Amino acid sequence: MGLVDVNNKVNFYDGKVRVVDTAGKELYKYSPPEYLDYVAEHVEPWSYLKFPFLKKIGWKGFIDGQNSGLYHATPLSRLNAADGMATPRLRKNMNGCTAHLEGNLFMHSGHALGKTNRTFIFC
């Protein structure tokens, strides 16, 4: 999950929220005011925390993979949700990473909550 512009490039201030699955396929794209149409919160009796999940997939517990409603909204997941960077300087740096990693900018990785096949590697 990450904020993107009209070209699906990383955006930090304006744009739409883009949600991609573990293979990088776009699931949803929505405006921030539509947040409650896409995200809900689950409460566990053993915690004061609320656990956000994708409403259309549903709460299925703490499982990972394609069928999980859990999501990441971290710096790496924001990059994974985008198709690239919006500015020439950032694109140049990203291209340098791609060349360093032999064209594979998004490397396979597993996470504790929800496995993903795309994890950004910083160069």
Side-chain angles (χ1 to χ4, degrees):
M1 178 181 287
L3 199 60
V4 297
D5 64 15
V6 295
N7 298 313
N8 288 336
K9 306 296 185 197
V10 172
N11 195 307
F12 295 102
Y13 305 106
D14 196 15
K16 294 198 174 196
V17 178
R18 185 175 189 224
V19 180
V20 297
D21 66 12
T22 59
K25 180 181 144 224
E26 183 176 303
L27 294 176
Y28 318 115
K29 189 188 285 186
Y30 61 90
S31 297
E34 299 173 290
Y35 176 81
L36 293 176
D37 295 335
Y38 291 87
V39 177
E41 295 176 339
H42 175 78
V43 178
E44 288 288 338
W46 46 266
S47 176
Y48 289 106
L49 295 175
K50 293 181 180 178
F51 299 95
F53 63 94
L54 298 171
K55 193 182 277 189
K56 293 183 180 186
I57 295 175
W59 175 260
K60 297 178 182 178
F62 296 102
I63 63 167
D64 58 9
Q66 284 290 98
N67 296 322
S68 176
L70 298 175
Y71 64 88
H72 295 273
T74 64
L76 293 179
S77 63
R78 289 181 184 117
L79 293 174
N80 285 335
D83 290 339
M85 305 306 277
T87 65
R89 186 173 179 184
L90 287 172
R91 276 195 302 275
K92 179 182 175 189
N93 288 335
M94 203 157 173
N95 289 340
C97 284
T98 304
H100 177 71
L101 297 170
E102 299 177 1
N104 191 7
L105 188 60
F106 296 96
M107 305 297 284
H108 176 72
S109 176
H111 297 283
L113 295 176
K115 290 183 181 173
T116 179
N117 292 328
R118 294 167 35 126
T119 299
F120 187 81
I121 305 296
F122 285 96
C123 298

